[in-house]
Amino acid sequence: METFRPAFVDRPRPLLSYGVSFPEAVSRHVVDTFNAKRVYMICSGSLSKNTDALDRIAQTLQRVKVEIVGKRIGMKSHTLWSEVLEITADARDCEADLILTLGGGTLTDGAKVISFALANNAKTFEDLETLCMGPNQEPPSATNPHPSVVPIVSIPTTLSAGEYSNFAGATNDHTHRKHSFQAPLRGPQLIVLDPDLVASTTPESVWLSTGVRAVDHCVETLCAIKGTTEDSDELAFRALAHLVPGLVRCRYDPKGEDLDARLTCQLGSVDAMAACTSGRVQLGASHGIGHQLGPLGVGHGETSCILLPAVCKFNAKHNANNDRQARVRDFLLNQSIVSQVAESRGLKKESADLGDVLDALFRELGMPRSLSDFGIGRDKLDDLATNSLKDRWCVSNPVSLKEKEQVLEILEMVV
């Protein structure tokens, strides 16, 4: 039986569907919820080549007389402007009235910017430049940009949870800098969850690392010193209570038989995004530096695996949010599965800080923990630090990062 509801209790959109197969949910809502007839499909390259997922969607849409008028197979990581513009032109020529994504966060961010670009007739890098946030997070230079119109339906195969926000990051190919696009950009209006799909198609490393990204949403929300509320804290703790045990269960389920663990992680990622997008929560440097680490070849989730424990330690060293960090540490250690991980890894609970607990957990999940895992050496740190200072989440970090040396101190901990 399908569960069909708003993803967040305080907002009518996005909508969430789970409990039925993804082709059934898509065909039902493309017609009944969006009254669409001309769908543009953006599908992961690996899903297209290695599974029948795309064919299943096409066959189901055909039965309800909906046409796939255009198709893009695969996008490079970190949502390149060049590819965004290519797909925008194609979708415009096809007169698509809905964009459907099947895959990870790059495709979702791409669809968000594409729909925004369609609404504003953006055709060039210069056009996109007017629609993104400025270098110091000032509003777009375009005068009264139009909100996104063409709706997006997403079938995510990772846990990054970007599907739930009206925010996108995309990388200028010319400068290799990642830029933010925000309201009046609109995110997906419907997200379809199918644990059977991800169990059979998503590589374990991608699933677990993007799950850590969702954990990062929770931790930086709970450790923030600006914009948090009782509601955001409650959501973040609830998300952690789902995500952490769910991820460990998935780690030790190599055959993908524990579908409940995967759905638990998916629903946890929804609450994680609800927490960090409610109110005016100001996230921190794990997100901020991670945005700029991405274009160097580090995946969305892997940036959190590397940076989050170090950022927590940096903030604790400077006495910025120690009380909030201690509360999160205690909550995690009170989870039996985390306590077992800590004990098995020889962690002394009485002296461990939040960074230590997260480090133990991420190592238990088999996640990368340093830049050297990606061939990034000290020769890259200076430019990385310079670009990070332009990111809003570095500025709003509990210790506001205003000097390059501050970012370098964090990077030295993970190089």
Side-chain angles (χ1 to χ4, degrees), residues 151-174:
I152 303 165
V153 173
S154 286
I155 310 165
T157 55
T158 71
L159 292 166
S160 299
E163 296 80 18
Y164 302 95
S165 74
N166 297 319
F167 168 89
T171 303
N172 184 323
D173 307 40
H174 298 163

Side-chain angles (χ1 to χ4, degrees), residues 106-126:
T106 292
L107 307 186
T108 307
D109 271 3
K112 293 181 195 179
V113 182
I114 290 160
S115 182
F116 196 35
L118 284 169
N120 291 279
N121 200 31
K123 299 178 179 179
T124 66
F125 274 48
E126 290 73 20

Side-chain angles (χ1 to χ4, degrees), residues 19-36:
V20 297
S21 70
F22 67 94
E24 180 183 344
V26 166
S27 62
R28 179 181 301 173
H29 294 294
V30 163
V31 175
D32 295 345
T33 304
F34 300 103
N35 195 30

Side-chain angles (χ1 to χ4, degrees), residues 214-235:
V215 170
D216 195 349
H217 296 334
C218 299
V219 171
E220 288 219 312
T221 294
L222 290 165
C223 293
I225 58 174
K226 294 181 181 178
T228 60
T229 64
E230 289 185 6
D231 287 342
S232 67
D233 284 359
E234 181 181 349
L235 284 164

